[in-house]
Amino acid sequence: MNLKTKVVAISLAVVGLSSCATDNTKATDKDVVNEQTAKESKNDLIKRVFSRAEVQYTSLINEIGDKTPLLNPRSVKKDGSLRMAWREDWTSGFFPGTLWYMYEYTKADKWKVNADKFTMAIDSAQFVKWHHDVGFMVENSFGNGYRLTGNEYYKQAVIDAAKSLSTRYRPVARIIQSWDTDAPWIAGRGWDMPAIIDNMMNLNLMYKATGYTKDNKYADIANNHAAATLKNAYRDNGSCFHLVDYDHKTGKVRSTVNFQGYSDPSSWARGQAWGLYGFMEVFRETGNVDAKNQAIKIADYIMNTPKIPADKIPYWDYDDPKIPESPRDASAAALVASALIDMSELVPEKKAEYLAYAEDVLRELSSDKYLAKEGTNGGFILMHSVGNFHEDNENDSPLNYADYYFMEALVKWQHIKG
Ligand code: GLY
């Protein structure tokens, strides 16, 4: 981090202290952490983290062994045992996705073999039609596999997954429905046709499928969903709700709520990050100016709100009144860093600003505060994320998607000049 960035960071911290009643983070937090990683060169930092990741993920793979059914690890339970992701769980593609990034960085055959093994373990995920998360599941695993190997089987899985996701398109509201209303976690809530902000992360799969098949229907669905989300899920200040419920007969908005956040008016940290990443991808894949402006607006909100502490790792919800006693969410921070690295290439006039923020986040996550020591954290790479806070089973925990977006960001950062 250069001196200028540091001064900006400290000033922001001071603004944060004076204007946000709930944020008691000390301005000095940033200096303490930066002292540890600031002097390390970018390449040395990335190399160090990947070496750590190799040790950690080797132990995870050894722990899983040849158990059947072969499942991917998701987190660590309170009793210290691994929490595994069922094949149709939304998180099932992240572990193989991280293994693909390990292969991309190291070029070692061991990681390719394991990435393929754990990708194929969720072969059936491409046919899931009962929820919207096939993008998470299939793009991160098969999609990365295709990008790195050219294996046609992986490519077909991406197309099949887009076909599955298309079945959830609802023309009346021009959205992809996230969950069925008889899903156990929402039954009784009175929702009719819910779409959540996370769904923005499934659109890239649709653009890829259009690219592979030359059939525009997938991209059209993605474009419509993005436009509806921009219109209905966002507040004027660039923050978003978690969930918009639509009327299945008229397509009109029935309600906007924060199912996974602290309260309806609050900003759930990962939701803000999903939205940033999602609109960045829509702009990257289509050049759509509305998506570009929305991504810039969201980035401005995230980078400038005094609700995020000086060290740039958000609490799980920006507005939890228990801050600073609330857990941080490293997964949201890793997502923001990864999205901003892409944004730095897509919006050249803001390159320095986006890269400086992403670098600060990555240096923080690479410090002892967040990077697990060898042989700890159940074999995962990052500590201190929050799954669904209200379920209280992944609060202040490792998460496979925190690892995924962290490693992705580091791989991308490595190739950025400047
Ligand atoms: N997609 C669910 C979550 O972000 O927790």
Side-chain angles (χ1 to χ4, degrees), residues 74 90 132-133 136 179 196 198 242 260 268 270-271 274 386-388 401:
R74 167 181 169 139
W90 78 276
H132 69 138
D133 287 317
F136 281 121
W179 300 324
I196 59 173
D198 323 29
H242 178 216
Q260 264 183 248
W268 172 48
R270 199 163 47 256
W274 290 142
V386 172
N388 184 344
Y401 41 104

Side-chain angles (χ1 to χ4, degrees), residues 122-230:
I122 58 164
D123 195 25
S124 57
Q126 61 193 284
F127 302 112
V128 166
K129 297 189 180 71
W130 62 273
H131 64 69
H132 69 138
D133 287 317
V134 279
F136 281 121
M137 299 188 296
V138 175
E139 236 220 309
N140 302 336
S141 51
F142 290 91
N144 274 314
Y146 180 61
R147 182 175 63 81
L148 293 170
T149 68
N151 181 331
E152 288 289 321
Y153 184 85
Y154 297 159
K155 176 180 172 182
Q156 189 57 46
V158 170
I159 297 168
D160 288 341
K163 282 185 191 157
S164 300
L165 189 58
S166 303
T167 66
R168 303 192 64 78
Y169 183 61
R170 307 290 180 251
V172 66
R174 297 161 75 89
I175 56 112
I176 299 168
Q177 182 172 344
S178 294
W179 300 324
D180 294 340
T181 44
D182 60 358
W185 62 92
I186 65 168
R189 290 179 190 274
W191 296 332
D192 194 21
M193 199 165 69
I196 59 173
I197 193 66
D198 323 29
N199 208 338
M200 288 298 298
M201 299 297 287
N202 293 313
L203 304 186
N204 199 43
L205 174 84
M206 305 296 258
Y207 295 121
K208 285 281 176 302
T210 283
Y212 298 151
T213 62
K214 308 295 173 230
D215 185 340
N216 279 332
K217 81 172 169 223
Y218 306 108
D220 289 346
I221 289 174
N223 290 338
N224 290 346
H225 182 88
T229 303
L230 196 163

Side-chain angles (χ1 to χ4, degrees), residues 50 57 93-103 140 144 381 400 403-405 407:
F50 268 91
Y57 270 39
F94 290 112
F95 181 67
T98 304
L99 296 174
W100 284 118
Y101 284 122
M102 306 280 280
Y103 170 58
N140 302 336
N144 274 314
I381 302 163
N400 61 11
D403 287 3
Y404 176 84
Y405 291 107
M407 302 316 269

Side-chain angles (χ1 to χ4, degrees), residues 262-273:
Y262 172 74
S263 67
D264 291 346
S266 75
S267 291
W268 172 48
R270 199 163 47 256
Q272 311 314 309

Side-chain angles (χ1 to χ4, degrees), residues 296 299 303 340 343-344 347 350-358:
I296 291 172
M303 293 192 306
L340 286 179
M343 292 278 287
S344 75
V347 189
K350 284 180 165 273
K351 179 170 181 156
E353 191 187 345
Y354 291 153
L355 269 187
Y357 195 98

Side-chain angles (χ1 to χ4, degrees), residues 1 5-17 23-34 302-303 305-315 323 328 356-357 360-361 364 369-370:
M1 179 200 244
T5 318
K6 198 164 183 168
V7 170
V8 171
I10 293 168
S11 325
L12 281 178
V14 172
V15 171
L17 283 168
D23 187 359
N24 299 321
T25 306
K26 292 184 189 69
T28 50
D29 279 3
K30 185 159 191 66
D31 292 328
V32 171
V33 172
N34 282 340
I302 292 173
M303 293 192 306
T305 176
K307 295 176 179 181
I308 293 187
D311 62 15
K312 299 186 171 68
I313 312 299
Y315 292 93
I323 290 173
R328 305 291 189 106
Y357 195 98
D360 285 354
V361 172
E364 183 77 13
K369 238 166 120 182
Y370 289 93

